[in-house]
């Protein structure tokens, strides 16, 4: 999710499409939160891993 967010962020900047930039930032934040929760051992949505 973080990699997809980075890809969309880069594409949004390169092509000047602001919606891609916004979606990229949102995906990076969500991916980081899930990563932190998973690293601390908490289950996310009833699952130990979200992949």
């Amino acid at each position: 999710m973080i990699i997809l967010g980075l890809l969309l962020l880069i594409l949004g900047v390169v092509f000047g499409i602001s919606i891609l930039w916004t979606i990229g930032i949102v995906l990076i934040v969500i991916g980081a939160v899930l990563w932190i929760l998973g690293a601390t051992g908490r289950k996310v949505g009833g699952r130990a891993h979200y992949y």
Side-chain angles (χ1 to χ4, degrees):
M1 194 170 281
I2 294 173
I3 294 172
L4 179 63
L6 284 173
L7 180 68
L8 288 176
L9 185 68
I10 292 169
L11 288 175
V13 170
V14 169
F15 294 119
I17 302 172
S18 62
I19 190 72
L20 289 180
W21 192 80
T22 305
I23 294 171
I25 289 176
V26 169
L27 286 179
I28 290 171
V29 169
I30 292 172
V33 168
L34 290 175
W35 183 17
I36 291 170
L37 287 175
T40 59
R42 292 183 49 103
K43 292 183 179 180
V44 178
R47 300 183 59 161
H49 304 284
Y50 73 94
Y51 52 86

